[in-house]
Amino acid sequence: MSPSHERPPFTADERTALVGWLDLQRSIVRWKCQGLSDEDAHRAVLPSSPLMTMAGVVSHLRWTEQMWFEVLFLGGPADGPQFLEDPEDADMRVEGIPLDRLLKEYEQQCAVSNEIFAAHSLDEVGRHPDYRSAAANLRWMVIHMIEETARHAGHLDAIRELLDGETGYY
């Protein structure tokens, strides 16, 4: 059974609409991964992007949520793979990590992000002193995360079709 793909209500307030659209895109990410073997989840199908795998994209999205909301917004430590000395696609390097584990970590990170949204004003700006992007307010960051997640959900849609022919919007 595929996860629910509910759009937010047409008359939702701003916060409900923003979180609703983000949660919809997150559910599409999980749905696109359903039924994949670990082998297929780690198989590259785009010759020019060998790290653009189902597993790599899920990991990237997990770490992107952590970066925007825990690091840039809350001002927490910059400790994800994208902050390594050689960060080039480090968050997509997931060799040997099972897809189920990556999806669980993604789901946990999304829950943390939603707790942050619930506890802060959309007008509040980020706190990290070392990154220019922290000057954005929470509203901007949530909108950016909707864009980021939707873009990668599209990548997952195309990768999944190339892997096993599975298609579907929602």
Side-chain angles (χ1 to χ4, degrees):
M1 181 165 134
S2 66
S4 171
H5 305 299
E6 294 291 323
R7 292 178 177 177
F10 291 132
T11 57
D13 62 87
E14 181 181 23
R15 182 180 300 275
T16 302
L18 290 172
V19 174
W21 281 108
L22 181 53
D23 281 343
L24 171 62
Q25 295 306 314
R26 291 165 168 166
S27 76
I28 291 170
V29 168
R30 291 187 299 274
W31 174 51
K32 289 297 167 181
C33 293
Q34 280 187 338
L36 270 181
S37 67
D38 278 329
E39 181 180 343
D40 279 346
H42 289 83
R43 185 158 50 105
V45 294
L46 303 172
S48 64
S49 300
L51 297 176
M52 181 72 76
T53 63
M54 299 293 280
V57 171
V58 170
S59 177
H60 168 73
L61 287 169
R62 177 256 197 251
W63 287 108
T64 300
E65 292 245 359
Q66 186 261 1
M67 177 186 68
W68 279 101
F69 301 118
E70 289 189 61
V71 178
L72 298 175
F73 182 71
L74 291 181
D79 58 1
Q82 65 275 40
F83 297 106
L84 295 174
E85 224 173 273
D86 181 18
E88 177 102 27
D89 299 322
D91 58 347
M92 296 181 83
R93 296 181 187 277
V94 293
E95 300 84 12
I97 303 173
L99 179 61
D100 285 346
R101 176 176 152 198
L102 294 168
L103 286 166
K104 183 177 181 179
E105 290 172 356
Y106 177 55
E107 192 166 318
Q108 290 169 340
Q109 190 65 55
C110 292
V112 168
S113 296
N114 282 354
E115 289 173 9
I116 293 167
F117 306 156
H120 296 274
S121 163
L122 293 172
D123 294 322
E124 191 174 332
V125 297
R127 300 179 190 154
H128 205 292
D130 299 332
Y131 299 98
R132 184 178 153 274
S133 297
N137 64 25
L138 183 57
R139 175 183 297 101
W140 190 98
M141 291 182 188
V142 173
I143 291 169
H144 172 64
M145 191 55 54
I146 293 167
E147 177 270 332
E148 178 88 6
T149 307
R151 182 166 47 99
H152 288 307
H155 292 137
L156 292 175
D157 193 36
I159 293 168
R160 181 67 189 254
E161 184 175 354
L162 291 169
L163 285 169
D164 63 8
E166 193 71 30
T167 62
Y169 183 56
Y170 68 92

